[in-house]
Amino acid sequence: MRNHTLNLYKIHNLSELNFSYKLVYFELPVIAGQEDRLNRQLQKIAMKVASLSGGPSAILKRDDRFHIAIPSDRHFEQTVINVVPSNVKVVLLPEIHSLHYSEIDESNVDVVQKFLDYEIRKQLSSNSQLWKLNSTQFFLKKPKYSNDESSINIYEGFTYKLLRLEDGNFYISLDLSSKYIDKHFLSHHINATNADSIGNRYKGKRCLYLNGDNWYATEIVGFGKPIIEHVFEHDGKEHNVYNYILAHAKSRKNEINKVMKPTDTTLIYKYPGRAMMPHNGATSLARIIYNTQDKEVQVLHKLSIKDPSRRFESISNYVKTYFRVITFNTKAVTVSKFPLVEKIRNFNFPELKFNNGELLKAGHPSTGAKTSLRDFASTRKQLIIRNGVLTKTIFDEQYLVVPDYLDKKLVEAFKKNVEYQIRTLAPAFIGYTIIRYKVLTNQSATIQLQEIERVLKQNNALDGFALFLLPDLSFDSKRHIKNFHDCLKNKFYPNLKVQCASSFKIKSFFKSYTAQENSNELIEFKVPEVSKPKFKSYIFNLAMEHLIVNRKWPFSLSKNLHYDIYIGIDVHDRHAGFTFFFKNGEKILFFPQEVPQKNRSQRAEKLKAGLLYDMIYAKLKEYIPMFSPNPNGIVIIRDGRSFGEEEKALRKVINTLASEGIINKETIKCGVVDLHKQSVIPLRIASQTNSYNNLENPMSGAYKLLNPKEGFIYNTGYPFQIPGSAKPLHLSLKTGDVEFIKVMEDLFCQAMLAFSAPDRSNSLPITIKLIDTLLEPLSGVFEQHDEDEEFEDSVIETI
């Protein structure tokens, strides 16, 4: 095993720091079966106590009773806190308790974690060189990249997490982060003459608000009158926005006056993710924050991508500059100069099974492998091309739905090519029926969808599968194209399953040919020789995606996983997706389920145990006898956070299936695992080498355990070629008796089932990837992802 560098910096002198505390006493009944409510009540009490005492707070349990701990130098008067359905009196006890480093255990570790993290965040927030996006993300006030050719500046910074590892030590985990900020103030885009007409486009967007030295993120709620006229009430008095800002500008008054004018439009905003009364500000003090999905950012994003060597160099510089100067109760916190180095284990690549019984085993020849790891991805694609897809089920009706303005001979040429490619991979493919729809220019998406629905009904084409060519939207933004694309899929699902492609892009591949050089008589459309390589790749990827929509899987694992049944679960807006994976993946089933619209008080991704039970029980009862008699294990993989409902549902499913003789309750293992694509712990690892770049991405399959039930796995390292640095998945076993390390290996094996782009890497296990592929468009809206990505999952863009 090679040495690997981890972005973990050890805190050396915890034993010298003073974590003395006082306890806050309160009476809160503990009711069996209502643990979720108890947790919410405790969190509310802790937050209120922190606010009253002006410092950190931590939940402690002593002698079977919950308390809140606050630093010994903090005080507050006894008060009553409403924690529905009751009021709780909280009293600060006078006794001071000491906590030495040697005494830290699971019962009191939160005291050290919360107290120390509070000081770190407080001191970072007060640093004049930084602005804070949220409690763990900080950015330099000076842009990292800025030039005259772009209207967007790139601000570099970092995200961090204080964590404790199994060795008992605390570490700072720090990674790079970038934000893309408009060079122009919002007043450049919005003014009194256009606020009513275009203001709605900006609602919900995030902005960086420059309130003097205090920079912070806001979310646009709307716009008001000019700031000299817009009046609001504060502390029982009325103020106009212009005068209020200047009155509180202090030393920054002259600087603010340079950019703020009395006629600027009022910005009405709130803090992102909060339910609160909106605040009032000036559009001339706010700049739009873009994310990596925005069209304006795509050409700039590559500037923020760093290979492992440059990434770790920057990480160490941030630790040195901002963390090695932290103090705690006047005592310097000693943070290591150097990142943690240790040997990292990795899982072996699984053997894959293709049509015609052909196998792919990659690795060293001593293991019996016939393919090198370097050639794993390219060979995976070639074996699909050579053998076709593994799934041999029949096809339902297939439609090619095209805009009416496309030349008929162009449509026929495209149809011929795509049908040939699909039949090469799946000989049972029946071919397309062409349906043409009228494109309504200057009409809303709703009107256009109604026209498409009319044509499909007229052709009795509301069931089956459709390859839909979007009208020429080359002039529009990618966001609007995707919105129309997703609304289209959602409109006809589940009876008609839709795969979309771009008419504009397809036209760009073809050239028209006439009978003679000077003739206007069109004979045919063909792809010129110079365009054939790109078209070949495009048409293959399009065919693969259409086969996936048709539930035709290209290959599987050659051997069964450690546990026989995996169930992937995720929620996208009003739809939940369930993927059932049996044994080696030759049998994978996907089912969507519409769920009620969530209100503001409900968590967007929480599913009730009853709904989960109904879906899982019904499907397992039907398919276990067919695909996995007497299974050895059932594991739920929850994309994001599980809420205890999954455990309740799975326990009931196990009991019911056992009572019906379908499974053996005495031998079957089960578990619920949370999978986080974006983790609050920004862990990165890099393999040490002797080459010019002394750090490189780890081997795909490398993993790091934080504890026996939590870890990270890197699915996109070597031999896959990715820009920048490999980003891991964060996994945690929430409940169950399965062996966590075996689940991690099973999920790595699932990630090697890169169906849509077999020659590229895939970060997600197929149980979750299929949900994203098949379910995400059903939300009917464009979902923003604010997190910075170093790479995209391996879906080739065919639009």
Side-chain angles (χ1 to χ4, degrees):
M1 292 187 293
R2 279 185 182 181
N3 279 337
H4 287 68
T5 299
L6 294 82
N7 61 338
L8 296 172
Y9 294 78
K10 183 179 177 181
I11 297 176
H12 289 290
N13 66 330
L14 276 182
S15 60
E16 301 173 9
L17 304 182
N18 176 18
F19 292 103
S20 60
Y21 61 91
K22 294 178 181 177
L23 291 177
V24 178
Y25 175 84
F26 56 92
E27 298 264 354
L28 188 65
V30 178
I31 303 173
Q34 296 190 14
E35 290 79 8
D36 285 350
R37 188 176 76 171
L38 173 64
N39 183 60
R40 290 193 301 270
Q41 292 173 327
L42 288 171
Q43 294 297 332
K44 184 171 183 179
I45 294 171
M47 290 176 62
K48 184 64 176 178
V49 166
S51 176
L52 291 169
S53 63
S57 65
I59 301 171
L60 278 182
K61 192 173 185 181
R62 281 194 169 188
D63 302 323
D64 294 325
R65 179 185 293 277
F66 287 104
H67 297 81
I68 304 297
I70 64 173
S72 58
D73 60 350
R74 301 281 176 170
H75 305 276
F76 70 92
E77 298 298 323
Q78 123 178 358
T79 189
V80 174
I81 301 173
N82 180 263
V83 290
V84 180
S86 57
N87 292 319
V88 174
K89 183 170 72 173
V90 293
V91 180
L92 180 62
L93 302 178
E95 183 182 356
I96 295 178
H97 303 265
S98 62
L99 177 58
H100 188 265
Y101 172 72
S102 61
E103 300 171 325
I104 299 174
D105 57 27
E106 289 303 314
S107 69
N108 57 31
V109 67
D110 254 13
V111 172
V112 178
Q113 181 92 32
K114 296 291 176 62
F115 287 16
L116 182 54
D117 195 42
Y118 175 85
E119 281 302 321
I120 292 173
R121 287 188 284 109
K122 178 182 175 182
Q123 291 171 47
L124 290 175
S125 299
S126 63
N127 191 303
S128 61
Q129 297 178 340
L130 301 173
W131 61 272
K132 182 174 73 171
L133 181 68
N134 53 47
S135 62
T136 62
Q137 282 189 294
F138 296 83
F139 296 87
L140 298 174
K141 288 185 176 178
K142 183 179 179 181
K144 184 72 173 179
Y145 299 101
S146 180
N147 62 65
D148 296 335
E149 297 178 0
S150 174
S151 62
I152 297 175
N153 286 332
I154 302 178
Y155 288 79
E156 188 181 88
F158 56 84
T159 179
Y160 86 94
K161 177 71 175 178
L162 175 68
L163 68 155
R164 186 182 187 226
L165 298 186
E166 274 196 296
D167 61 9
N169 292 304
F170 280 80
Y171 294 82
I172 299 291
S173 176
L174 184 142
D175 193 20
L176 305 184
S177 188
S178 296
K179 284 297 165 191
Y180 306 88
I181 313 292
D182 200 331
K183 279 185 179 179
H184 301 292
F185 285 104
L186 192 54
S187 53
H188 178 82
H189 307 284
I190 295 288
N191 54 56
T193 62
N194 66 13
D196 289 339
S197 59
I198 69 172
N200 284 338
R201 299 181 192 174
Y202 291 85
K203 287 184 179 179
K205 287 183 179 291
R206 293 189 178 185
C207 285
L208 175 62
Y209 196 80
L210 282 64
N211 188 12
D213 285 331
N214 187 18
W215 297 15
Y216 50 87
T218 62
E219 182 180 319
I220 298 175
V221 174
F223 301 97
K225 298 177 181 179
I227 55 177
I228 193 66
E229 301 174 15
H230 193 97
V231 175
F232 66 97
E233 187 174 311
H234 181 67
D235 291 337
K237 299 179 181 179
E238 286 193 344
H239 309 266
N240 71 53
V241 175
Y242 179 75
N243 290 331
Y244 185 86
I245 291 174
L246 291 180
H248 292 78
K250 298 180 181 179
S251 62
R252 310 289 292 188
K253 185 173 182 178
N254 290 336
E255 185 177 332
I256 288 176
N257 260 326
K258 291 178 182 178
V259 296
M260 188 177 71
K261 300 179 179 61
T263 55
D264 289 336
T265 302
T266 296
L267 170 66
I268 302 172
Y269 68 88
K270 66 173 187 172
Y271 300 128
R274 289 196 197 175
M276 56 178 281
M277 289 295 294
H279 289 189
N280 301 283
T283 52
S284 47
L285 299 179
R287 291 188 169 117
I288 295 173
I289 300 175
Y290 296 97
N291 61 61
T292 55
Q293 301 294 322
D294 288 320
K295 181 181 179 181
E296 298 88 342
V297 165
Q298 290 171 8
V299 295
L300 298 174
H301 185 46
K302 62 183 179 182
L303 297 175
S304 63
I305 295 175
K306 285 184 168 65
D307 61 49
S309 289
R310 291 195 301 146
R311 174 173 292 276
F312 273 82
E313 181 182 0
S314 295
I315 287 171
S316 289
N317 287 336
Y318 281 122
V319 170
K320 176 183 178 181
T321 305
Y322 299 106
F323 287 83
R324 300 197 73 243
V325 296
I326 297 292
T327 61
F328 186 82
N329 289 333
T330 72
K331 181 77 174 177
V333 177
T334 307
V335 179
S336 176
K337 296 179 181 179
F338 306 105
L340 181 67
V341 175
E342 64 181 30
K343 296 188 183 298
I344 295 291
R345 296 182 179 275
N346 64 274
F347 300 118
N348 292 325
F349 274 60
E351 186 177 66
L352 304 180
K353 177 183 177 180
F354 294 80
N355 190 30
N356 298 324
E358 193 157 358
L359 303 178
L360 170 59
K361 184 176 177 63
H364 194 273
S366 63
T367 65
K370 296 181 180 179
T371 302
S372 68
L373 283 179
R374 185 187 302 274
D375 297 327
F376 175 75
S378 60
T379 304
R380 189 167 56 182
K381 179 177 179 178
Q382 289 304 314
L383 288 177
I384 297 173
I385 294 173
R386 187 161 74 207
N387 295 286
V389 298
L390 188 62
T391 304
K392 296 296 184 183
T393 53
I394 62 173
F395 284 81
D396 292 332
E397 289 295 319
Q398 306 286 318
Y399 304 100
L400 179 60
V401 187
V402 303
D404 59 355
Y405 64 76
L406 285 184
D407 190 285
K408 290 183 178 180
K409 290 187 177 181
L410 172 61
V411 173
E412 287 293 339
F414 171 71
K415 176 175 178 287
K416 178 181 177 181
N417 278 274
V418 72
E419 284 181 345
Y420 174 79
Q421 179 64 81
I422 294 177
R423 285 196 180 106
T424 300
L425 299 171
F429 183 67
I430 59 179
Y432 291 111
T433 298
I434 297 175
I435 297 175
R436 305 177 74 86
Y437 67 93
K438 185 177 181 180
V439 176
L440 304 177
T441 56
N442 300 320
Q443 294 291 332
S444 68
T446 301
I447 300 298
Q448 181 66 75
L449 287 173
Q450 289 173 353
E451 170 61 19
I452 293 168
E453 183 178 25
R454 183 190 67 79
V455 173
L456 293 177
K457 283 182 178 178
Q458 183 180 330
N459 287 272
N460 195 28
L462 292 175
D463 291 279
F465 295 83
L467 176 55
F468 192 100
L469 303 195
L470 295 172
D472 188 354
L473 297 173
S474 59
F475 62 87
D476 213 337
S477 72
K478 185 175 181 181
R479 182 183 297 273
H480 292 145
I481 294 172
K482 190 178 189 303
N483 188 44
F484 179 76
H485 161 270
D486 291 357
C487 288
L488 177 69
K489 288 190 173 185
N490 185 42
K491 176 72 174 177
F492 304 109
Y493 197 87
N495 296 328
L496 183 67
K497 300 170 182 67
V498 174
Q499 172 66 24
C500 293
S502 165
S503 298
F504 174 78
K505 190 160 191 174
I506 289 169
K507 284 193 301 181
S508 71
F509 286 114
F510 286 89
K511 181 181 178 182
S512 60
Y513 291 84
T514 57
Q516 297 178 5
E517 186 174 342
N518 297 320
S519 171
N520 290 326
E521 182 186 353
L522 177 63
I523 294 181
E524 63 179 337
F525 284 86
K526 293 195 301 185
V527 179
E529 288 296 324
V530 68
S531 300
K532 282 186 176 179
K534 286 187 177 180
F535 180 72
K536 183 179 179 181
S537 176
Y538 174 84
I539 208 73
F540 174 82
N541 293 323
L542 184 64
M544 288 299 297
E545 290 183 358
H546 194 62
L547 288 169
I548 291 170
V549 170
N550 276 268
R551 304 341 186 227
K552 304 295 186 281
W553 317 131
F555 55 94
S556 70
L557 303 169
S558 71
K559 298 176 182 177
N560 295 341
L561 297 176
H562 292 296
Y563 297 107
D564 289 338
I565 301 173
Y566 278 84
I567 305 169
I569 301 176
D570 193 11
V571 179
H572 290 250
D573 195 45
R574 293 195 61 180
H575 289 83
F578 297 81
T579 305
F580 292 80
F581 185 106
F582 296 91
K583 291 186 173 291
N584 70 333
E586 287 190 57
K587 302 298 181 183
I588 305 175
L589 305 172
F590 170 78
F591 302 96
Q593 174 69 51
E594 191 167 351
V595 296
Q597 183 72 47
K598 305 299 182 184
N599 59 44
R600 288 188 175 182
S601 65
Q602 294 173 305
R603 293 187 178 272
E605 294 196 348
K606 186 172 182 178
L607 296 172
K608 292 294 186 180
L611 183 149
L612 292 166
Y613 170 81
D614 290 344
M615 171 63 76
I616 296 172
Y617 166 70
K619 302 308 177 187
L620 291 185
K621 181 178 181 179
E622 179 179 358
Y623 293 111
I624 282 178
M626 298 168 60
F627 302 143
S628 184
N630 193 28
N632 68 359
I634 302 174
V635 184
I636 289 176
I637 305 300
R638 185 62 162 89
D639 188 345
R641 178 186 168 191
S642 60
F643 296 92
E645 302 294 302
E646 290 80 3
E647 178 187 3
K648 296 176 188 175
L650 184 56
R651 190 186 308 120
K652 185 177 178 181
V653 167
I654 295 292
N655 290 333
T656 306
L657 293 176
S659 69
E660 296 173 346
I662 296 175
I663 63 171
N664 185 343
K665 187 178 178 181
E666 301 303 316
T667 59
I668 195 169
K669 304 290 185 181
C670 63
V672 176
V673 173
D674 285 359
L675 179 152
H676 298 280
K677 304 166 189 172
Q678 306 286 352
S679 174
V680 295
I681 302 174
L683 186 66
R684 300 271 190 167
I685 65 175
S687 177
Q688 295 186 354
T689 72
N690 295 320
S691 62
Y692 175 76
N693 289 323
N694 61 340
L695 294 176
E696 62 184 21
N697 279 322
M699 177 78 74
S700 178
Y703 64 91
K704 167 66 178 176
L705 290 174
L706 298 184
N707 57 62
K709 295 184 177 182
E710 184 178 18
F712 290 80
I713 185 166
Y714 294 77
N715 294 328
T716 58
Y718 179 84
F720 303 109
Q721 299 299 313
I722 63 169
S725 307
K727 199 168 187 178
L729 294 179
H730 183 189
L731 306 172
S732 58
L733 177 62
K734 307 308 292 185
T735 185
D737 56 358
V738 293
E739 292 185 50
F740 181 60
I741 194 70
K742 290 183 177 179
V743 173
M744 290 186 75
E745 184 171 16
D746 284 352
L747 294 183
F748 169 67
C749 292
Q750 288 187 35
M752 296 302 101
L753 300 178
F755 288 169
S756 57
D759 58 339
R760 299 179 67 186
S761 66
N762 178 48
S763 67
L764 295 175
I766 197 65
T767 42
I768 298 300
K769 182 66 176 176
L770 280 179
I771 299 176
D772 285 353
T773 300
L774 299 173
L775 183 62
E776 181 176 357
L778 304 184
S779 66
V781 295
F782 185 85
E783 297 184 8
Q784 289 193 21
H785 301 279
D786 277 338
E787 301 295 340
D788 296 307
E789 292 285 359
E790 286 304 313
F791 56 88
E792 301 295 334
D793 283 337
S794 300
V795 175
I796 302 292
E797 185 66 54
T798 56
I799 292 294

